Amino acid sequence: MRVLVVGSGGREHALVWKFKQSKSCDKIFCAPGNGGIAQIAECIDIKADDIDGLLEFARKEKIDLTVIGPEIVLAAGIVDIFCENKLRIFGPNKAAAQLEASKVFSKELMAKYKVPTADFRVFDHPDAADKYIEKIGAPCVVKADGLASGKGVVVAKTVDEAKQAVDAMMREKIFGDSGNKIIVEECLEGQEASILVITDSKEVVALASAQDHKRIFDNDAGPNTGGMGAYSPASVVTAELFKEILDKIIYRTIDGLAKEGIEFRGVLYAGVMLTKDGPKALEFNVRFGDPETQAILPRLKSDLFEVMLATSEGKLSKIKSLDWDNRACVCVVCAAFGYPGDYTKNKEISGLDQVAKLDDVVVFHAGTKKSGNKILSSGGRVLGVTGIGETIKEAINKTYQAVGKISFEGMHYRKDIGRRAIEGS
Ligand code: AMP
Ligand code: GLY
C-alpha cells in the first residue's frame, strides 16, 4: 500500500520509521518531511497545511492512507475534505478536532459528561476574568481557548501574573482570535502523564503510557517547550490507575462526543494530572504527542499501519489488542542554541554515523535538513535520540551515551530525562 505522512517533526519520523517495518507498506511519502525522514522515505515539497496540495498529491499518487501529524490541519478540516473525496485518511474530522482546537469546547464537554478535570470558568470579557481571579486568588491557570502553538497556558503563581495573562490574551490579543474566550481554572498538583489511545469511536486500543518533560531546563525549570524528552512506560501510571484513566477520562469523552453526534476516529491523547484526589484531565490532543511518540513506538511490536488503516475504515474491532515490548524507552531531545526562543540554524550535525552503529538506539530527526552529504539543523528541536533498555535506568544510560557522540554548535539538552521514574518523585 501507498502511505502519505503529513508533518516534519520527530513524531512524523517515528511514524515513518514504524511504517517501514510494516509488510503492508510498499511506498511511503512524507510532506514535507525532514533530513532524517528523507533517508527512509520520499519527501515531497508540500507544506503540512497546504490541504489542496496534499489532496491533489494523494489523488495523483493513488495514496491508500494519509496520516496526519500536526493538529492545525486537523482543526482546519483536512479529514472532512479527504473523506468527501473518497480518500482514506487517519485522524479526527473537524468537529472532533475541536477537542484540541477549542479548550472551551473540551472543558464544557468534560463538565457535561463528568470527566474529572480542574474546576473552571469561561470568560469572553477581560474585566469579568480579572474580577474572578481576584476572588479565587493564586495560584490559578489562565488558558486561551484556541490553538496557540502550545503557548496558550499560563500557570500563574500570583494574582498579578494571572491578570497579566488575561491582558495579553484578551486585550493585546497575542494569540489573535484564539484569545477571544479564555478559561480560568483551578491549579492542580501532581505528576503528569500522557495517555494515548487509538479509537474509531466504537473500539479503543490503548498505547503504552508516557511522560513528557515540557520545561527547557533540568528539574523542570525555565519556560515551557514543545517537549524536551519523554519516556515510556510512565511508571507512576500503575495498571489500576491506567484503568481508572480509561474509564473516567477516555471512554467518557469518546462516548460523550458520540452523544453529541461526533464520531472520533484517530489518536486521542489525554494530558492527565495524577492528583491526590485521582487522575484529572488537563487537556486533550487529537493527534500523536511529540516527543511521546518517539518513546512509545519503539516499544510497539504490532503493525501500527494495520491498526491505523482499520481505524480509518471504522473497523478497529478487527484488531484484538496491541503487543508491546516490555523494555523501557527514553527519548532525549537535542535542541538548537536559543530554543525555545529565537534559535540558530544551519549547523552541521556530526556523530550520526557513529550512533547508527549502536544497538537499541535510534535517532529521530525533527528540525534537520539534508544538504549534499551533510545533515544540518533547521529547527528548534533538532533530534530525538532514543534508546531502549531492560530497565529505565539502562535505557537512560544507552540514550545519553548516544547523545554524547552527537554534536552541533550550540546543541543543548536536558540531562534528567526519565530520572523521575527512578527517583519516583
Ligand atoms: P495544556 O496545554 O492544557 O496541557 O497545558 C500545558 C501545561 O500546563 C500542562 O502540561 C500542565 O503542566 C500545565 N497545566 C495546565 N492546566 C493546569 C492546571 N489546571 N493545573 C496545573 N497545571 C496545569
Ligand atoms: N508533548 C506534548 C504535545 O505533543 O502536545
Side-chain angles (χ1 to χ4, degrees):
M1 288 205 172
R2 297 164 72 76
V3 194
L4 168 63
V5 175
V6 176
S8 61
R11 163 183 59 200
E12 287 77 14
H13 191 177
L15 285 166
V16 170
W17 174 85
K18 187 66 188 155
F19 292 159
K20 278 293 269 192
Q21 297 160 23
S22 167
K23 57 185 183 333
S24 310
C25 290
D26 306 311
K27 175 82 189 170
I28 308 173
F29 297 97
C30 188
N34 61 36
I37 297 174
Q39 293 169 347
I40 55 170
E42 187 174 332
C43 290
I44 49 168
D45 190 16
I46 303 176
K47 290 209 171 65
D49 59 359
D50 177 3
I51 296 182
D52 292 342
L54 293 168
L55 180 65
E56 195 191 319
F57 182 83
R59 269 204 194 120
K60 193 175 90 212
E61 289 291 337
K62 302 198 169 22
I63 298 297
D64 296 294
L65 182 69
T66 300
V67 173
I68 307 297
E71 62 277 12
I72 191 123
V73 241
L74 294 167
I78 191 170
V79 172
D80 309 61
I81 294 168
F82 269 53
C83 290
E84 279 160 24
N85 284 277
K86 307 264 174 292
L87 286 165
R88 264 196 230 106
I89 185 161
F90 179 89
N93 62 18
K94 190 172 180 173
Q98 286 181 91
L99 211 49
E100 177 165 1
S102 167
K103 290 196 192 296
V104 172
F105 173 87
S106 163
K107 292 290 291 194
E108 286 177 345
L109 189 95
M110 287 193 245
K112 184 164 174 187
Y113 294 99
K114 306 209 166 5
V115 174
T117 188
D119 287 340
F120 70 102
R121 289 270 296 268
V122 178
F123 296 95
D124 56 13
H125 198 284
D127 296 346
D130 284 344
K131 240 180 164 170
Y132 181 68
I133 288 167
E134 275 164 22
K135 192 177 121 201
I136 63 167
C140 67
V141 183
V142 181
K143 298 184 174 185
D145 175 37
L147 294 177
S149 316
K151 298 191 181 89
V153 174
V154 175
V155 181
K157 290 193 188 71
T158 64
V159 165
D160 269 358
E161 209 184 316
K163 284 163 84 175
Q164 274 164 27
V166 173
D167 228 23
M169 289 177 195
M170 300 199 93
R171 296 192 182 93
E172 289 165 33
K173 295 247 163 244
I174 58 166
F175 304 125
D177 287 347
S178 286
N180 286 353
K181 287 186 187 175
I182 62 159
I183 286 166
V184 179
E185 71 179 31
E186 168 200 13
C187 188
L188 300 176
E189 273 177 41
Q191 273 211 57
E192 283 181 52
S194 303
I195 302 297
L196 284 73
V197 304
I198 296 180
T199 178
D200 66 355
S201 191
K202 303 180 286 285
E203 302 291 329
V204 175
V205 294
L207 299 181
S209 63
Q211 196 168 50
D212 188 8
H213 297 61
K214 288 200 166 85
R215 304 290 182 131
I216 185 74
F217 299 128
D218 287 8
N219 304 315
D220 294 329
N224 261 333
T225 69
M228 291 300 289
Y231 64 95
S232 174
S235 36
V236 286
V237 184
T238 57
E240 204 182 348
L241 262 177
F242 206 123
K243 188 177 177 306
E244 191 178 351
I245 293 167
L246 290 179
D247 286 344
K248 293 189 179 158
I249 298 179
I250 300 288
Y251 299 152
R252 284 185 195 174
T253 301
I254 295 168
D255 292 346
L257 283 171
K259 286 188 182 124
E260 301 292 315
I262 298 172
E263 188 175 79
F264 192 105
R265 283 188 192 176
V267 170
L268 178 62
Y269 156 171
V272 178
M273 187 77 94
L274 305 169
T275 75
K276 62 176 178 27
D277 303 320
K280 296 194 179 185
L282 290 171
E283 64 157 355
F284 286 110
N285 295 316
V286 299
R287 48 162 177 89
F288 282 96
D290 189 336
E292 288 94 329
T293 305
Q294 294 89 307
I296 291 173
L297 293 190
R299 299 187 54 224
L300 179 63
K301 290 191 196 160
S302 310
D303 186 333
L304 181 67
F305 178 77
E306 292 293 341
V307 179
M308 292 167 95
L309 189 69
T311 305
S312 72
E313 294 175 329
K315 292 181 184 157
L316 188 54
S317 58
K318 285 204 299 205
I319 309 289
K320 301 283 171 280
S321 62
L322 299 180
D323 202 10
W324 293 96
D325 185 332
N326 281 329
R327 291 178 297 166
C329 187
V330 171
C331 170
V332 173
V333 170
C334 300
F337 179 80
Y339 179 80
D342 289 341
Y343 51 82
T344 53
K345 286 187 194 171
N346 297 316
K347 303 296 175 194
E348 185 178 350
I349 303 168
S350 64
L352 292 169
D353 292 352
Q354 266 175 287
V355 171
K357 292 185 198 133
L358 299 177
D359 289 333
D360 298 329
V361 171
V362 49
V363 178
F364 295 119
H365 291 221
T368 73
K369 64 179 182 193
K370 257 179 99 175
S371 171
N373 291 330
K374 295 176 182 168
I375 296 282
L376 304 181
S377 68
S378 64
R381 290 190 292 173
V382 178
L383 301 169
V385 181
T386 307
I388 267 207
E390 288 301 329
T391 59
I392 186 88
K393 204 167 178 175
E394 194 183 297
I396 292 171
N397 288 341
K398 280 188 187 172
T399 307
Y400 279 107
Q401 268 169 25
V403 171
K405 295 182 190 301
I406 294 173
S407 67
F408 55 89
E409 194 188 314
M411 167 173 133
H412 64 104
Y413 56 89
R414 275 180 63 159
K415 315 276 187 303
D416 65 343
I417 304 298
R419 195 194 288 159
R420 198 184 278 152
I422 301 170
E423 293 169 358
S425 61

